[in-house]
Amino acid sequence: MRTGGIDSSQIQAMIAQLKAHAARPQATPPVLQSEPTVAKVNFADALKSSLDAVNASQLKADGMGKQFSSGDDSVSLSDVMVSMQKASINFQATVQVRNKLVSAYHEIMNMQV
């Protein structure tokens, strides 16, 4: 007997395959690896460590500038300029983050509840 282009023997073969597959013992499911637990970071601690890093880069740049101006040969002008530029960029980024935080604070405070 032919039904819709598939022979009844093919249908019987497919049913037999499905039954055989269903009768097979199920393999143990693969162990899903959960994402590693990440320690929760306190916002205040993260902000303080970032500010400390910016302060450290500024102190390093200032110290290198003082060493160079006092005539220390171990510090080159290019090193002083690079450290000063890094400190400047760090400070500018910190100011931009502060501005965004203040803007977000004002926006939240102006929301109607």
Side-chain angles (χ1 to χ4, degrees), residues 35-99:
E35 293 183 25
T37 56
V38 178
K40 292 185 179 181
V41 178
N42 187 359
F43 179 75
D45 293 339
L47 186 61
K48 183 175 179 350
S49 67
S50 296
L51 291 175
D52 288 342
V54 171
N55 185 41
S57 70
Q58 288 181 331
L59 291 174
K60 178 183 174 187
D62 186 49
M64 289 180 77
K66 286 180 181 177
Q67 283 180 331
F68 181 77
S69 64
S70 67
D72 190 354
D73 291 337
S74 66
V75 180
S76 68
L77 178 61
S78 61
D79 290 340
V80 173
M81 296 306 290
V82 167
S83 67
M84 286 185 173
Q85 285 299 313
K86 283 182 182 179
S88 175
I89 290 170
N90 287 339
F91 182 72
Q92 290 173 6
T94 303
V95 169
Q96 291 299 319
V97 169
R98 186 222 41 197
N99 292 343

